[in-house]
Amino acid sequence: MKNLHSKNTFLLIFLFLIPSLLYSQFYTNKQMRKNADEKNAEWLVREGFTLVEDAGDFTTPVSIALLRSPGQSANDVLYIVSELRGSIKARLRNGNVIQIGEDEEISKPRKELPDFQGEMGQTGACLTPDDRTLFTTSVYQNGWGRSNKITRWKSVGNLPWTKIEKVEVFDSPFRGDTAGLAHQIGHCFVDSNYHIWVGTGDGQSWTSSHKKDSTNGKLLRLKSDFSQVESNPFYTGKKTEAGGYIYSMGLRNPFAIAKSEGGEVYVADNGPEIDRLVKASKGMDFPWDNTNPSMTYNNLMTFPKSVGPADMIYVPKNHKLASLRGHLVIAASHITSLLAVPIDDKKGVTGEPWWIVLPTKYEEERRQDFTGLALGEDGILISHIRMRKDGGLLPAPVLKLVPGQISSENMKYSGEQLVEIKGCRSCHIIGGAGGNVAPNLDAIRPRTTEMFKSQDFLKQVEEMASYKEEPDHERWNQIRSKLTDPSQNSKEKLELYISSKLENPKFLNPISGMPNLNLSKTEIESLKEFLVELSEDSVRFQGLEKWEYSVVKQFEQNPRISLVLSLLFGIGFGIYGKRLFYLLKGLVIRLQLKFMKKS
């Protein structure tokens, strides 16, 4: 009896731990640390790496096309970024970002992110190996529906890729298919043979992924002049026929595709609640029948919970990022992270996948998504979209993962990053989130405009003029007098007020409760620019409806829900499993006896 009790106890503990062990492989922060050892770090990074900001002035960046042979002058372009809403921008060697073009003929969503309808528009961007031709992928309005397209661009600026011009729009094989929300055309790359590889979503119709007369749910391969590749498995030679462009089929959302140095093409396919990593085979029809189990066949790896693969790169075995050599690096959008998968063209996945970047805390209402990757000589470039919790978009810099550990004192931060790092939201509401201890900084413009006109403010300035104990008193008197000067416009006053308040929180009130954060001039400038833009009627900060989660979306994006349910199932089975067994056994015996009596 004692042994039976011990076995039951062991069984209960084992069943309790199974779900935890199942999820631990992909939801662990082992060997992770706060980025640059920041106190309020936004990211956890693997030891030996640091995440830094490479370029700003983006809103919805989704893909990065890196020039292989960029010029050496300060104004030469290093890489091109496509944005979800159609803008095409370039990052110069001097760090500046310029807009070089725009695709205005793309579908515009009825609702902006983070609403689900906002997950459509321009997606991929890729350059030919000689850096002479740019391709972008996107969705456009085709009558009452939406169709995918690929656009070819050429450089027409004085310097390469400082200005672009549309050359050709290729949509003939896509016209018969409907592009679904978040199930559209994805990222692309151009190989050494000048063949374009691109994945297309199933258009929210799983049956179309298995049809040879549809481009939906496929991995496509085409020449740079948009003709079919003769060695494609269903080659027809006609640009209007979808079948001739198909390389592999039976996919759901193959946004993330990458080619190894050995020539194999890999696809990280988004599933409903689980994802899969597959090796593309010519003519292969992968199982996909609108169910989770179908995502588990013929795979190199199955993710036990959806991470939302958005893009993927392969790190060659001679790259400077030594610990990532021979790995596929996947940008995951559901948990906003980077995942490394060791891969061998012959052996498949050769070890346990491991996290490179994780958010410091999981956001149930999505705040940001990793969207695109590009492998540079000294690091990995990452595009991501940032969203307010209550709706609206925030500035989204291109990030860079670099080897080595950089201290926070040597990091350069944007204003939005400083808000997180300095803990400003503990007192202020900024971007729709934060505390109510101090004034709402989203409303700083109207509040200060009225304040500068008030008699109380003029009286306050007069009182501070006699406050001789104030350090650098004369300088602050001059600043305060500018704030009362009617010849100064409201924006100039706002900028002066913000920078002064950040440098000296007590410059208008010696008993102000705001602490002095000892900010550098660069940090003050970054915060000022961010707060000024926040106060303007920018589309990035307009309040929108909250993200509406369906039950499926909750399961898909929040691993804790599935984990808790699995734990409860394990506990219940451990406690009542024996009773259930005897109940089923008794039922079987009764059925046997009943059958024997009849016979």
Side-chain angles (χ1 to χ4, degrees), residues 24 32 64 82 100 128 191 194 210 267 279 307 342 345 369 387 417 437 497 507 559 580 587:
S24 64
M32 306 292 281
I64 304 170
S82 63
I100 60 174
T128 51
D191 65 19
Y194 288 74
H210 303 289
V267 179
K279 183 194 291 187
V307 296
D345 286 345
D369 290 347
M387 293 158 277
Q417 288 176 310
V437 178
Y497 171 79
F507 88 105
L580 182 62
L587 182 62

Side-chain angles (χ1 to χ4, degrees), residues 67-91:
L67 272 72
R68 299 192 183 189
S69 302
Q72 298 302 309
S73 73
N75 293 319
D76 276 316
V77 171
L78 290 182
Y79 57 80
I80 297 168
V81 177
S82 63
E83 295 204 288
L84 192 63
R85 295 294 162 257
S87 295
I88 303 173
K89 298 180 178 180
R91 195 272 202 191

Side-chain angles (χ1 to χ4, degrees), residues 5 12 19 24 51 108 185 249 291 323 355 370 555 578 595:
H5 178 72
L12 177 61
S24 64
L51 202 59
K108 303 294 183 181
I185 195 167
M249 52 202 292
T291 65
S323 61
W355 294 117
F370 280 172
F555 274 81
K578 186 176 179 180
F595 178 77

Side-chain angles (χ1 to χ4, degrees), residues 306-493:
S306 176
V307 296
D311 197 7
M312 182 167 63
I313 56 172
Y314 174 80
V315 182
K317 295 177 181 177
N318 61 351
H319 197 272
K320 291 180 181 179
L321 296 174
S323 61
L324 288 173
R325 291 172 182 167
H327 283 68
L328 292 169
V329 177
I330 299 172
S333 60
H334 290 174
I335 310 180
T336 316
S337 53
L338 289 190
L339 182 66
V341 181
I343 198 78
D344 182 271
D345 286 345
K346 294 182 179 180
K347 299 177 182 178
V349 177
T350 57
E352 184 177 354
W354 46 279
W355 294 117
I356 313 170
V357 177
L358 281 171
T360 51
K361 59 180 180 179
Y362 188 84
E363 298 286 352
E364 292 185 3
E365 294 185 14
R366 285 198 288 174
R367 283 197 56 210
Q368 49 197 351
D369 290 347
F370 280 172
T371 55
L373 297 174
L375 182 64
E377 291 183 0
D378 58 347
I380 298 174
L381 295 165
I382 309 164
S383 62
H384 74 311
I385 299 177
R386 300 172 61 89
M387 293 158 277
R388 283 169 47 172
K389 285 185 177 181
D390 63 343
L393 301 172
L394 294 168
V398 168
L399 305 175
K400 189 174 185 179
L401 183 75
V402 296
Q405 297 185 7
I406 303 173
S407 65
S408 57
E409 291 79 11
N410 297 321
M411 293 277 281
K412 181 182 178 182
Y413 300 107
S414 65
E416 170 68 3
Q417 288 176 310
L418 287 168
V419 164
E420 299 289 346
I421 294 165
K422 300 299 180 180
C424 302
R425 284 193 174 97
S426 60
C427 296
H428 299 275
I429 290 177
I430 304 174
N436 294 311
V437 178
N440 181 344
L441 296 186
D442 288 350
I444 191 172
R445 180 182 288 274
R447 179 172 61 81
T448 54
T449 300
E450 292 300 317
M451 182 185 75
F452 296 146
K453 298 175 183 178
S454 70
Q455 292 299 316
D456 289 340
F457 177 72
L458 296 175
K459 183 179 178 181
Q460 194 175 20
V461 170
E462 289 178 7
E463 290 176 353
M464 289 299 295
S466 60
Y467 183 56
K468 303 294 185 181
E469 294 83 1
E470 179 185 34
D472 207 0
H473 181 63
E474 290 301 321
R475 173 173 171 256
W476 289 110
N477 265 344
Q478 292 176 8
I479 290 173
R480 286 187 287 263
S481 64
K482 288 182 180 179
L483 294 177
T484 60
D485 186 353
S487 64
Q488 299 278 337
N489 64 47
S490 60
K491 185 175 181 180
E492 290 173 339
K493 288 184 179 181

Side-chain angles (χ1 to χ4, degrees), residues 79 168 217 257 404 486 491 527 572:
Y79 57 80
E168 183 180 357
I257 58 175
K491 185 175 181 180
L527 275 168

